[in-house]
Amino acid sequence: MSKDLDSLDKLDCLWDSEDRDFQAPCTFSKWDQSVEPDFAEAFGDQELVQITARSGLLHWLFDHPKYASYLLTLGLTADNAYGCLSNYLFQATPALQKQLPGDVLETLSINTVIGIQIRLGDGVIKAGMEANYDWDSVAAPWFQCAQDLETSLNISMHLVRWLLVTDSSQFKAWAKGKLGGKLFSGSHERVALFHEGVLQSAAIDNWLLGLADFQVISDLSQFGRSAALRANTNSSVFTVQQDWDLWSKGEMTPIQGIERTCHVHHPDRPLGVMRAWVGV
């Protein structure tokens, strides 16, 4: 590796997913210390290699012989590091919170909230509002998980609300019609992949999902995974696996979920959530 970098300065590569037949593009390059004076001060004349990848590498630090023990002194573990760091760095601004419907934060504070994040895929967004899908079938794995989880909580159904986060305005409208007051959402409707306000809507959805008491998320979504890990409870995340073959073909049909059993005493481990697919 060092010999190759000496001659090329940069190496393109493919990073293997830890749990799927998927490779993300990555790059190894010499670190330009003049760009980051703090690094130059810390490491002196040592050569550094910068890794740029569409893959989460944070959990690897906890296997490092030098940094693992230091991170523990800061109270950081592989299970809580992402949530701690993201909550420290990012909070919803007052301007962003003003875009929320007036009762959303109150709903979160007085109810037990199960956040449901369903990524249906770019194909569904591009297909537009005219596309016809069997939404009952599409929703079943996530809604059944949420219902199983709610039942296992053993509290009044009137004290539990579902927060829906999805990339399909058509699906959101259908879900609200089906579930009525049981369901609420935070962001405005999105009818196109790119339009004014889409980043603000996405930020609101991500923030609110992290505030929910539980998160039922989509396997093939770093968006849902990052929001769920922000909750930092070690006991709140339930991941619905999705049809990898259908996603990889990029077809204009919803990415199907795979049914699973969800119980409050059997959540997904945060480290497993962090490392899945391309990680965070």
Side-chain angles (χ1 to χ4, degrees):
M1 174 66 73
S2 61
K3 181 178 179 181
D4 289 336
L5 283 175
D6 284 340
S7 60
L8 297 176
D9 288 332
K10 179 179 177 180
L11 286 175
D12 293 325
C13 55
L14 291 173
W15 202 280
D16 289 331
S17 169
E18 295 194 31
D19 64 344
R20 291 189 183 270
D21 182 18
F22 175 78
Q23 292 181 314
C26 59
T27 302
F28 287 83
S29 58
K30 287 183 178 179
W31 187 276
D32 184 357
Q33 295 197 13
S34 65
V35 178
E36 294 285 351
D38 291 342
F39 274 75
E41 181 179 345
F43 294 98
D45 295 330
Q46 297 181 58
E47 286 194 350
L48 301 177
V49 175
Q50 178 181 1
I51 304 173
T52 305
R54 204 188 78 181
S55 295
L57 307 178
L58 180 62
H59 61 274
W60 282 26
L61 286 174
F62 295 91
D63 294 326
H64 194 283
K66 176 181 179 180
Y67 297 119
S69 58
Y70 174 67
L71 291 169
L72 286 174
T73 67
L74 301 178
L76 296 176
T77 67
D79 281 342
N80 71 21
Y82 184 88
C84 285
L85 293 172
S86 60
N87 282 320
Y88 175 74
L89 293 170
F90 305 109
Q91 289 294 328
T93 64
L96 195 67
Q97 293 186 45
K98 285 182 180 179
Q99 298 187 38
L100 290 171
D103 61 346
V104 167
L105 293 181
E106 181 182 1
T107 299
L108 282 162
S109 66
I110 65 176
N111 295 277
T112 296
V113 174
I114 300 175
I116 305 171
Q117 182 262 334
I118 304 179
R119 182 194 177 189
L120 299 176
D122 294 349
V124 172
I125 300 175
K126 294 174 183 176
M129 296 294 288
E130 293 74 27
N132 293 314
Y133 302 114
D134 179 0
W135 291 125
D136 279 292
S137 177
V138 170
W142 288 271
F143 284 5
Q144 187 59 55
C145 174
Q147 186 59 63
D148 290 347
L149 176 58
E150 178 177 330
T151 301
S152 71
L153 293 173
N154 197 28
I155 59 177
S156 171
M157 61 176 292
H158 301 293
L159 299 177
V160 182
R161 298 284 299 280
W162 292 3
L163 166 69
L164 179 62
V165 172
T166 182
D167 51 2
S168 169
S169 296
Q170 186 185 10
F171 176 74
K172 184 184 290 187
W174 170 85
K176 286 182 175 180
K178 181 178 181 65
L179 297 176
K182 179 75 172 180
L183 195 77
F184 72 103
S185 61
S187 66
H188 298 294
E189 302 299 333
R190 298 203 290 271
V191 296
L193 186 56
F194 299 107
H195 71 88
E196 184 178 358
V198 69
L199 292 180
Q200 290 89 338
S201 294
I204 288 171
D205 283 345
N206 189 279
W207 180 58
L208 292 177
L209 187 60
L211 294 178
D213 298 285
F214 300 93
Q215 296 83 22
V216 177
I217 63 172
S218 298
D219 171 39
L220 298 176
S221 174
Q222 288 171 292
F223 180 93
R225 188 174 293 112
S226 63
L229 289 170
R230 282 185 45 248
N232 237 8
T233 65
N234 290 345
S235 59
S236 67
V237 185
F238 300 82
T239 306
V240 173
Q241 300 295 313
Q242 292 179 280
D243 188 326
W244 168 252
D245 291 333
L246 184 61
W247 180 88
S248 62
K249 293 176 182 176
E251 297 181 6
M252 290 190 180
T253 55
I255 307 173
Q256 297 295 319
I258 301 171
E259 292 190 8
R260 60 163 291 178
T261 300
C262 298
H263 191 285
V264 65
H265 295 315
H266 303 289
D268 300 340
R269 276 202 61 201
L271 181 58
V273 177
M274 182 185 294
R275 296 176 64 164
W277 195 32
V278 294
V280 295

